[in-house]
Amino acid sequence: MASRDEQSDLFLNSDAVGDDFFYDIIEKKLDINRDKFTIRLVLLSPATGKNENFVSVVYRAKIKIEMLETKLRRSVDVIVKVLLSTMEELKAFSVFPRERFMYEDVLSSYERIWLDRAGEKIRFGPRSIKFETDPYEIIVLDDLKAEKYEMLKRQAGLNLVQAKLLLEKLAKFHAASAIRYQTDGILQNYFDRKSTMPEFPEDSPFIQGFKRMHQGFADSVKNYGDCDEAAAKIASWDFKKLHNVWVDAAVPMGCGFQVMNHGDIWLNNMMFRSDEDGNSVDVKLIDFQIAFWASPVLDLLYFLVSSVADDIKIDHFDDLIEFYHEQLTSALKRVKFDQHIPTLSEINVDLLEKGGFACVCLMFILFVVKNDSSEEIDMETMMSGDADTLHRFYNGDGYKKAAKLWLHFLNKRGFLDTLIVEEKQEGL
């Protein structure tokens, strides 16, 4: 299997990114014909560092053009996102068509809902410019960095103000989705994870990779030294329940409420804009490759486990859940949602019922976030990693510190128990 760097080199040297590709971007972005301008220079550079996007490869393109009539020169900044993975299992998840539909249809519809129903202009993410499917799956987007948005350091995590800013935007996203669902249902089959998640055979790379990750995680926690109770429970997790939690948890709340989950809501999929004093004042979401319908608590658990600073995410867990509920309630009322609005108690019950999802996030995403080594992590590495590789990932200083906090918390709350199969009593 070609490495990510090798795949990237093949792409960059292919006809897929020839002159026509960039002329078409300028035509669509600026709404002008190509006989009105010439491209003088194209600068392509990685838009993310190592371990900051482990499904796609993302490039920043600066396209310098000159208007033929006026000789005016200008620069156009875009993001070029390419799915280079060769894993058939990833293609089965419909990541490209899903994200394309989100950018082409869903985000703009949510923004119209807020404008029409609440009178608020809001942007949830970048504008899409161009899509390609052959020979590569490519999405071209506005570069939010040109609008002064930036990614924050993933290892550090968000402070309390930034976390609340994200939760406020997420609540508005969820509220708009609840309105859209009332009129249009699930929109596309691939947004229904429960019925469309592919079933992988026992010997598939995906299942075998997941088993290796569970074993590597369990072995590492056992050797942490002060997590013995958590380690015993992790060793007792039922693998079928562990693997199926991605699907089994993707259902509405007990009260019937559900929203479009972003699905991958961690620090590298959000960009913040700051004021002159360095205070974060807005946030936009990116990377909608695995969006799906479910209870909003899945986005909440994924976000809290992966993206909030270690020194506040446990102490303020309940505060942040309550804050999200307040924002969701307000948002649903503003967009005139006329059905049952979940109570805080219902949210908390759902958090416990779907607590196994937090455990998977701890095992599956947190070590990507906290990895500060030069070793590159992508989906293929995660699924094919040997015992030594997984040991390094799960025993890095940053990961171990964060994991211990979560293990004690999740154990105390009963979340670790949700993946253990209860033994049946004799005679029952």
Side-chain angles (χ1 to χ4, degrees), residues 154-166:
R154 58 182 167 83
Q155 291 94 342
L158 301 180
N159 62 35
L160 195 57
V161 172
Q162 292 161 342
K164 288 185 174 181
L165 194 63
L166 183 282

Side-chain angles (χ1 to χ4, degrees), residues 248-310:
D248 293 341
V251 294
M253 295 181 62
C255 65
F257 183 76
Q258 67 176 336
V259 300
M260 178 74 79
N261 278 247
H262 177 282
D264 196 14
I265 190 78
W266 68 299
L267 259 166
N268 277 32
N269 290 333
M270 57 191 78
M271 297 182 70
F272 289 81
R273 181 171 57 83
S274 301
D275 61 18
E276 294 179 353
D277 297 322
N279 301 308
S280 297
V281 294
D282 190 33
V283 59
K284 287 186 171 60
L285 308 178
I286 58 175
D287 202 339
F288 297 88
Q289 294 179 134
I290 54 176
F292 61 95
W293 293 104
S295 163
V297 307
L298 300 191
D299 264 352
L300 291 178
L301 289 171
Y302 198 103
F303 167 66
L304 291 171
V305 169
S306 67
S307 302
V308 182
D310 292 340

Side-chain angles (χ1 to χ4, degrees), residues 6-22:
E6 290 170 336
Q7 294 176 47
S8 178
D9 288 342
L10 287 172
F11 167 72
L12 292 174
N13 289 292
S14 72
D15 292 338
V17 282
D19 289 346
D20 283 345
F21 178 78
F22 293 105

Side-chain angles (χ1 to χ4, degrees), residues 22 31 45 54 73 86 131-132 151 156 174 200 228 272 281 311 316 326 333-334 336 340 355 372 396 402 411 415 423:
F22 293 105
D31 193 25
S45 60
F54 55 99
R73 295 185 181 184
T86 58
F131 302 92
E132 295 282 352
M151 290 182 185
H174 286 166
F200 300 111
D228 291 346
F272 289 81
V281 294
D311 61 342
H316 292 275
E326 292 170 353
K333 289 178 178 178
R334 290 187 62 198
K336 303 176 177 57
H340 174 70
D372 54 6
N411 186 38
F415 286 14
E423 296 183 6

Side-chain angles (χ1 to χ4, degrees), residues 47 89 103 112 115 163 180 182 210 318 336 370 388:
E89 286 88 350
Y103 279 119
R112 285 194 302 273
L115 185 61
R180 180 80 190 269
Q182 286 183 310
F210 213 94
D318 293 319
K336 303 176 177 57
K370 292 297 182 178
D388 289 340

